[in-house]
Amino acid sequence: MLVEDNQFNAVIAQEELEDAIEGVTVEVAENGLIALEKLQHNDVDVILMDIQMPVMNGFEATQKIRAQDGDVSKTPIIAMTANVLKEEVDQCYEVGMNDFIGKPFDTNELIKKIHNLVKA
C-alpha cells in the first residue's frame, strides 16, 4: 500500500513499483485515515507511508496501525519522506516504522528495503 497525498508523487511511485516488481498491485491511499479504512478490508505486504499529509499524518497513522489487533499491526511500514533530518528519522522508528527512505527515492534501494522486510 502506498499512502501519499500528492497525486503526482503517488502516480510516479506506483508506476516505478509496478515496473520494478512483477505482478505487484499497488493500493493507493491519499492520507492516513483512508489507509486505516482500506486496511480493514485489504491485506497488504508492506506500507509505504508518507509523513506529511492532511487529515492524518504518517506518524499518527502508524501509531494507529500498530495499536490494532491481529496481523495488520505487524505489517512492515517504510516511511517515505523528503525530510531526512535525524529528529524525523528517529520519530519514524519511535512510532513503530520499520525503515525509511528519502524522497525522491531510488527505486533499487526501495525494492531492497521492501524485500528485506517482506521475505518469509
Side-chain angles (χ1 to χ4, degrees), residues 6-64:
N6 181 297
Q7 187 175 9
F8 177 78
N9 288 348
V11 168
I12 296 298
Q14 184 174 10
E15 288 177 356
E16 289 283 326
L17 291 167
E18 288 174 348
D19 287 346
I21 305 171
E22 187 175 330
V24 74
T25 301
V26 180
E27 179 75 30
V28 178
E30 293 77 21
N31 62 56
L33 183 60
I34 293 171
L36 288 171
E37 292 169 0
K38 288 186 174 200
L39 286 169
Q40 292 177 11
H41 308 288
N42 298 293
D43 290 330
V44 300
D45 295 316
V46 66
I47 300 168
L48 306 176
M49 182 76 73
D50 186 21
I51 298 299
Q52 297 182 6
M53 296 178 288
V55 183
M56 182 184 293
N57 68 38
F59 296 129
E60 186 179 354
T62 297
Q63 289 174 315
K64 291 186 180 296

Side-chain angles (χ1 to χ4, degrees), residues 39-108:
L39 286 169
Q40 292 177 11
H41 308 288
N42 298 293
D43 290 330
V44 300
D45 295 316
V46 66
I47 300 168
L48 306 176
M49 182 76 73
D50 186 21
I51 298 299
Q52 297 182 6
M53 296 178 288
V55 183
M56 182 184 293
N57 68 38
F59 296 129
E60 186 179 354
T62 297
Q63 289 174 315
K64 291 186 180 296
I65 291 167
R66 295 298 184 229
Q68 292 191 19
D69 294 329
D71 289 339
V72 71
S73 69
K74 298 177 187 91
T75 305
I77 300 174
I78 300 173
M80 297 181 72
T81 178
N83 186 358
V84 291
L85 295 175
K86 183 181 183 324
E87 296 80 23
E88 187 162 294
V89 172
D90 289 347
Q91 190 175 359
C92 290
Y93 291 116
E94 287 169 13
V95 299
M97 294 179 179
N98 302 86
D99 207 340
F100 76 95
I101 191 163
K103 290 195 287 190
F105 63 86
D106 175 272
T107 303
N108 291 327

